[in-house]
Each structure stands twice: as structure tokens, then as C-alpha cells.
């Protein structure tokens, strides 16, 4: 048994001071530190925050690897690298690639999930961002591989797909949206040029999530609120790339106030994340990393190098969200989207002891997965 003492424990609704957090593989409870048995392993937080492990449900790659490569070893390398950023669970996101490559990617994700890397973040499943996208809003996705929605392909892979992005205007009678929902897959609206009425109808037929809000979707307009307006107006969850580049920082507070527990922080990382400025590859295309910006040669924005901890920091700094809610947007709320919240996402008795310790500067000091330290600064 282990106990963290002298930590500021971030619960889902408040901060808890003056208690010791006791755990093995699961969280056991909160106790008076002086009553902890002497045979327990003691971890002194030294006043640092003790948070639920962060959960990134939309990340294509990092450290030179990409989920669409279909490499089990690459996925494990990413899992291990993500631990240094406080991530204890993640959902690898695929790009718009040929179907045989997509199948290979899903098989690799299945294998890596089953292997569950001992020193890395747990893999929860796959986020299928393409190819069911509108070519007018394709962003960094290759148009030649875009396809009409295919319910059979989704159902064939529903054991691994946790989220699928579908532009509702290209889904006839919303048939694939309904089928995916019935198969237990979260359907997300994104890379869509739908007007407000079509987006609203898609939501009525099973869409419950929005892929990177405001990016690659019809914008909020006072005469046609578009996909962005529908995502904000209805009670669906929305992803936010809070890097201050994809979305202006002064919008963070508006989005937070409108969405609250429906606000999901994501990284949308590409393989350049964690690496120096330079040229890299994304789904067969050259991308250029300069600072916090990733772009195709024509200037199209192509993913991010944001860390999840930096996203939490930015939400706290640029919105009215208290720390515990900012953390929940990067842990509990994304866990709910992929159906993992019974075991993960918050510091609660009986849940997995997935934890991250960080200081006041949002520097990760220690990452713990199911009670075992997998990263230490």
C-alpha cells in the first residue's frame, strides 16, 4: 500500500488539503497522515498538486510516431512518452488514409491496447477522425482518400473505435450516424460544412460530440450559426485545442461558460510533438513545425504540439474555470466521452490509481498508472 502526503489533492469538485491519499492499484481513501501505518510506502508531495491522470482522446502522434502508421511499437513509444506529460490514458487518432492502412492502424491499436505498456499511458481505443469528412472542410486531410460514411466498416471495427467523426451533410438520412451510435461508438461532428439546421438534425440523430470546436467547421454566423453554433447551443461535448493558436485565448472563457462539464481539452498532436522545429510528415503530406504552429506548405493548419498540462494551464489562465474544473476537462470529462469514467478520470475511492503530481508552474513531477510510477522528473 502507498500513501501520498503533503499534497493538494484535486477532486472533481474541489481541492482537498491536509489529507493523505492512500492507494494500491486502486484508490483506497483519504486519511490523516499521522495515522498512516509505518509499513506503507510514503510519497511526499511537498505541497504539489495531486491530480487524476490526464486523458487525451484526440492525439494523432508524437515523438516521431503516428497512429496511422499502423506500428504497435510506435504506439508503445508514444504511450511511454506521454507519461512525462501527465497523461495516463489516451485514444490514438487516425487520419484520412486508404482503408487497408486504416485497418492496419486499428489492428496495431488493438494489439498495443492488449499489451498495455508497463511504463506508458493506457490505450483506450481509437479515434477515427477520417475519412467521412466534407472536402470543403478537409483541413490537413487528403481529399483523394475521403469517402462517404460506411456503417458496415464502423460496425466491423466497433470493438476498437471509441469516436468517429462524420460530416452529417454527407451521411444520407443520417443512417451511418445512427448505426454507429447503436454500435456504441461516440459520433462526433467535424470537418463539416453543414448549416445550422443540418447540424442540429445530426445531433438529434445521434451526434453527441464535436471535433476540435471552431476548426474545420462552418463558423458561427448571426444568420446561420453553422456547426459551431449548433455545438455550442446543444448539450453535446466539444473538443478544444487550447494552445492560443487554434482558438484565440479570449474565447476560452466564453466556451467554458457555455459548455462547463461538456468542455473537453485535447492535444490534437501530430508526430512533430515533443520534437524540435522542422519538417515532418502527416498522412503522406509534409508539415512544418515552427513554435506552436504546425502547417502544410500552403499554410493550412495541421494539428498541434500542445501538451495536455499546458492546455490545463491555459484554461486556468484565460478563463474563469477553477483548477479542479480545468483538470476535469482533461480527465473526467474526456473519460465520459469514451465510456471509461467508471474506472478513470477522477480521484475517487475504487477508481484506478491513475495520478499525476505537478507543481505551481504546471511542471509534471510524477506520473502514476494503476498505482505504479511510470514517470518521475
Amino acid at each position: 500500500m502507498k500513501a501520498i502526503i503533503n499534497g493538494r489533492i484535486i477532486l472533481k469538485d474541489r481541492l482537498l488539503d491536509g489529507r493523505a491519499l492512500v492507494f494500491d492499484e486502486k484508490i483506497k481513501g483519504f486519511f490523516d497522515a499521522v495515522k498512516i501505518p509505518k509499513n506503507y510506502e510514503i510519497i511526499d508531495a511537498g505541497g504539489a498538486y495531486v491530480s487524476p491522470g490526464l486523458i487525451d482522446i484526440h492525439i494523432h502522434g508524437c515523438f516521431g510516431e503516428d497512429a496511422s502508421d499502423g506500428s504497435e511499437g510506435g504506439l508503445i513509444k508514444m504511450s511511454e512518452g506521454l507519461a512525462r506529460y501527465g497523461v495516463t490514458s489516451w485514444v490514438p487518432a487516425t487520419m484520412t488514409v486508404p482503408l487497408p492502412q486504416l485497418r492496419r492502424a486499428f489492428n496495431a491499436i488493438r494489439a498495443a491496447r492488449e499489451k498495455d505498456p508497463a511504463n506508458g499511458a493506457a490505450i483506450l481505443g481509437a479515434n477515427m477522425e477520417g475519412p467521412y469528412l466534407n472536402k470543403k472542410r478537409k483541413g490537413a486531410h487528403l481529399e483523394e482518400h475521403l469517402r462517404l460514411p460506411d456503417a458496415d466498416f464502423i460496425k466491423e471495427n466497433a470493438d476498437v473505435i471509441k469516436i468517429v467523426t462524420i460530416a452529417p451533410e454527407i451521411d444520407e438520412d443520417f443512417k451511418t450516424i445512427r448505426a454507429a451510435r447503436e454500435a456504441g461508438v461516440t459520433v462526433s461532428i467535424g470537418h463539416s460544412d453543414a448549416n445550422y439546421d443540418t447540424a442540429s438534425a445530426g445531433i438529434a440523430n445521434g451526434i453527441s460530440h464535436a471535433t476540435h470546436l471552431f476548426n474545420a467547421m462552418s463558423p458561427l454566423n448571426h444568420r446561420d450559426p453553422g456547426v459551431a453554433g449548433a455545438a455550442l447551443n446543444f448539450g453535446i461535448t466539444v473538443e478544444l485545442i487550447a494552445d492560443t493558436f487554434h482558438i484565440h485565448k479570449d474565447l476560452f472563457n466564453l466556451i467554458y461558460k457555455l459548455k462547463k462539464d461538456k468542455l473537453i481539452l485535447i492535444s490534437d498532436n501530430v508526430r512533430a510533438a515533443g520534437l524540435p522545429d522542422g519538417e515532418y510528415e502527416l498522412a503522406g503530406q509534409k508539415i512544418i513545425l515552427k513554435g506552436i504552429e504546425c502547417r502544410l506548405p500552403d499554410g493550412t493548419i495541421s494539428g498541434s504540439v500542445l501538451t495536455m498540462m499546458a492546455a490545463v494551464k491555459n484554461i486556468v489562465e484565460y478563463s474563469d474555470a477553477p483548477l479542479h474544473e480545468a483538470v476535469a476537462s482533461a480527465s473526467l470529462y474526456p473519460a465520459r466521452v469514451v465510456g471509461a469514467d467508471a474506472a478513470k478520470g477522477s480521484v475517487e475511492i475504487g477508481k484506478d490509481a491513475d495520478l499525476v503530481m505537478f507543481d505551481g508552474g504546471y511542471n509534471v513531477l510524477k506520473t502514476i498508472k494503476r498505482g505504479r510510477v511510470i514517470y518521475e522528473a
Side-chain angles (χ1 to χ4, degrees):
M1 202 69 73
K2 302 175 183 178
I4 298 176
I5 62 171
N6 297 324
R8 305 199 68 195
I9 303 169
I10 301 175
L11 304 179
K12 62 182 180 180
D13 57 353
R14 67 188 191 281
L15 264 63
L16 178 64
D17 291 312
R19 306 290 283 176
L21 175 61
V22 174
F23 62 95
D24 48 21
E25 291 186 358
K26 303 284 186 179
I27 294 168
K28 297 300 183 182
F30 311 93
F31 299 95
D32 188 329
V34 300
K35 296 181 180 179
I36 299 298
K38 292 182 179 179
N39 62 333
Y40 280 22
E41 179 182 336
I42 302 298
I43 300 172
D44 191 339
Y49 294 106
V50 181
S51 159
L54 306 184
I55 300 175
D56 192 350
I57 62 170
H58 187 152
I59 169 173
H60 297 281
C62 54
F63 305 106
E65 306 291 340
D66 191 292
S68 295
D69 292 344
S71 166
E72 180 184 342
L75 290 162
I76 291 172
K77 179 181 175 181
M78 286 190 275
S79 285
E80 293 173 348
L82 288 170
R84 75 180 69 172
Y85 298 132
V87 175
T88 54
S89 298
W90 65 299
V91 180
T94 52
M95 287 287 291
T96 295
V97 293
L99 288 187
Q101 184 178 347
L102 200 53
R103 287 191 173 95
R104 288 196 300 273
F106 288 159
N107 286 335
I109 291 169
R110 287 185 181 98
R113 177 178 64 179
E114 182 68 23
K115 184 167 289 185
D116 188 20
N119 296 313
I123 295 171
L124 301 179
N127 181 335
M128 183 181 174
E129 190 176 359
Y132 311 139
L133 316 177
N134 189 319
K135 64 182 180 181
K136 294 180 181 178
R137 300 285 179 178
K138 62 184 177 64
H141 292 253
L142 274 174
E143 183 174 340
E144 63 196 81
H145 300 311
L146 295 177
R147 302 171 64 90
L148 291 175
D150 182 348
D152 290 338
F153 185 84
I154 295 171
K155 289 188 285 187
E156 172 192 333
N157 294 282
D159 64 306
V160 69
I161 299 171
K162 293 296 182 181
I163 305 169
V164 60
T165 297
I166 298 177
E169 69 273 21
I170 66 168
D171 184 25
E172 184 181 359
D173 195 32
F174 311 115
K175 291 177 183 177
T176 306
I177 291 169
R178 290 196 299 272
R181 188 69 172 175
E182 289 167 5
V185 176
T186 295
V187 183
S188 185
I189 187 170
H191 290 275
S192 168
D193 199 46
N195 60 24
Y196 181 80
D197 289 343
T198 302
S200 300
I203 291 169
N205 277 275
I207 289 171
S208 61
H209 191 67
T211 301
H212 43 52
L213 182 67
F214 286 114
N215 289 276
M217 62 176 58
S218 49
L220 179 63
N221 181 280
H222 62 294
R223 291 193 179 91
D224 181 1
V227 173
L232 290 170
N233 196 38
F234 289 90
I236 68 172
T237 48
V238 301
E239 297 176 353
L240 180 65
I241 308 172
D243 60 358
T244 72
F245 166 57
H246 279 79
I247 303 289
H248 193 285
K249 61 183 175 57
D250 287 349
L251 279 179
F252 291 179
N253 198 42
L254 174 64
I255 298 166
Y256 162 70
K257 288 192 289 187
L258 286 172
K259 301 309 293 189
K260 296 287 186 172
D261 65 345
K262 300 294 192 295
L263 174 58
I264 312 297
L265 298 179
I266 62 164
S267 72
D268 197 20
N269 279 174
V270 292
R271 71 170 80 241
L275 299 177
D277 288 359
E279 295 184 359
Y280 298 93
E281 183 269 348
L282 176 68
Q285 303 172 93
K286 181 171 78 172
I287 60 172
I288 302 164
L289 170 63
K290 184 177 181 181
I292 64 170
E293 299 184 15
C294 286
R295 296 182 184 269
L296 299 180
D298 66 3
T300 301
I301 297 172
S302 53
S304 161
V305 293
L306 175 72
T307 69
M308 289 294 284
M309 191 58 76
V312 171
K313 176 180 183 292
N314 287 341
I315 289 296
V316 172
E317 185 170 349
Y318 298 116
S319 84
D320 294 334
L323 178 59
H324 69 267
E325 285 203 36
V327 166
S329 288
S331 53
L332 179 59
Y333 305 158
R336 289 175 179 167
V337 172
V338 295
D341 55 305
K344 299 181 182 295
S346 56
V347 183
E348 295 184 74
I349 295 171
K351 286 194 173 185
D352 291 347
D354 291 353
L355 307 164
V356 57
M357 293 166 50
F358 62 94
D359 63 21
Y362 296 86
N363 300 297
V364 174
L365 306 176
K366 199 183 299 281
T367 305
I368 298 168
K369 185 181 80 169
R370 289 196 288 275
R372 183 175 174 272
V373 175
I374 59 172
Y375 169 76
E376 190 164 12

